């Protein structure tokens, strides 16, 4: 039941009644994406918001002939170029399916309809606030924690991350090179071997 998935994923922020999530789900459609499909291209305006039912997606920006990964999202999370969705303007951000994925898609018009309902206003406000806090924390971590600490925390939050996400995207997300990530992974692996002995 899609509405139950939506409710469960959002309850940690705000416990809205299941009826509100049914209303949300009724304004959406399920869409499939293949691995590496570009969902929203750079320079375009975001027309949809997504909820990942299965698979994963990334938000990227092109810099110096390389993609820089700004965010990686997995099942049961909302996903989009939020800056474009909110401002209704094009951005340099690109969203890409990182695996074969199935996502619940809602149009900008339907988002606006939901925002006009009492529960919808609360849901979108809380969503914006929690997203802002997470982004701020990400920036603080980038400044105050080592790449190794950030990688370990990423593994704790998403244990299957290593098997599912290309190393180049993880390294980019952490703000390091793939070579640095390989050294960190080797170091962590050696530590685990010592613990097991």
């Amino acid at each position: 039941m899609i509405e139950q998935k939506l409710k469960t994923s959002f309850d940690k922020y705000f416990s809205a009644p299941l009826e509100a999530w049914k209303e949300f789900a009724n304004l959406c459609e399920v869409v499939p994406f293949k691995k590496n499909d570009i969902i929203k291209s750079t320079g375009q305006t975001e027309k949809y918001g997504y909820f990942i039912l299965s698979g994963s997606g990334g938000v990227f920006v092109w810099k110096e002939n390389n993609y820089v990964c700004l965010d990686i999202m997995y099942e049961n999370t909302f996903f989009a170029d939020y800056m474009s969705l909110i401002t209704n303007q094009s951005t340099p951000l690109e969203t890409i399916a990182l695996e074969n994925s199935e996502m619940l898609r809602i149009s900008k018009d339907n988002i606006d309809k939901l925002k006009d309902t009492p529960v919808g206003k609360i849901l979108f406000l809380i969503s914006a606030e929690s997203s802002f806090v997470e982004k701020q924390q990400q920036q603080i971590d980038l400044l105050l924690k080592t790449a190794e600490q950030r990688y370990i925390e990423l593994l704790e939050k998403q244990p299957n991350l290593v098997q599912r996400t290309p190393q180049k995207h993880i390294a980019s997300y952490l703000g390091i090179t793939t070579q640095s990530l390989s050294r960190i992974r080797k170091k962590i692996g050696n530590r685990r071997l010592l613990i097991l002995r």
Side-chain angles (χ1 to χ4, degrees), residues 122-150:
I122 293 168
L123 291 176
F124 283 98
L125 175 65
I126 290 171
S127 179
E129 287 175 348
S130 62
S131 180
F132 175 77
V133 169
E134 284 169 16
K135 283 287 129 197
Q136 286 286 90
Q137 189 60 58
Q138 189 181 342
Q139 290 175 329
I140 291 166
D141 289 350
L142 201 58
L143 291 169
L144 300 180
K145 293 181 180 176
T146 66
E148 185 178 329
Q149 289 170 321
R150 294 194 317 275

Side-chain angles (χ1 to χ4, degrees), residues 24-36:
F24 184 99
N26 286 338
L27 294 172
C28 300
E29 62 179 329
V30 176
V31 290
F33 293 103
K34 287 189 169 38
K35 182 179 179 176
N36 297 322

Side-chain angles (χ1 to χ4, degrees), residues 47-58:
K47 292 177 173 50
Y48 301 98
Y50 297 88
F51 178 80
I52 303 174
L53 297 168
S54 65
S56 59

Side-chain angles (χ1 to χ4, degrees), residues 82-98:
Y82 292 114
M83 186 165 74
S84 179
L85 201 58
I86 291 165
T87 63
N88 209 28
Q89 295 179 1
S90 63
T91 69
L93 301 179
E94 187 156 290
T95 58
I96 299 172
L98 298 179

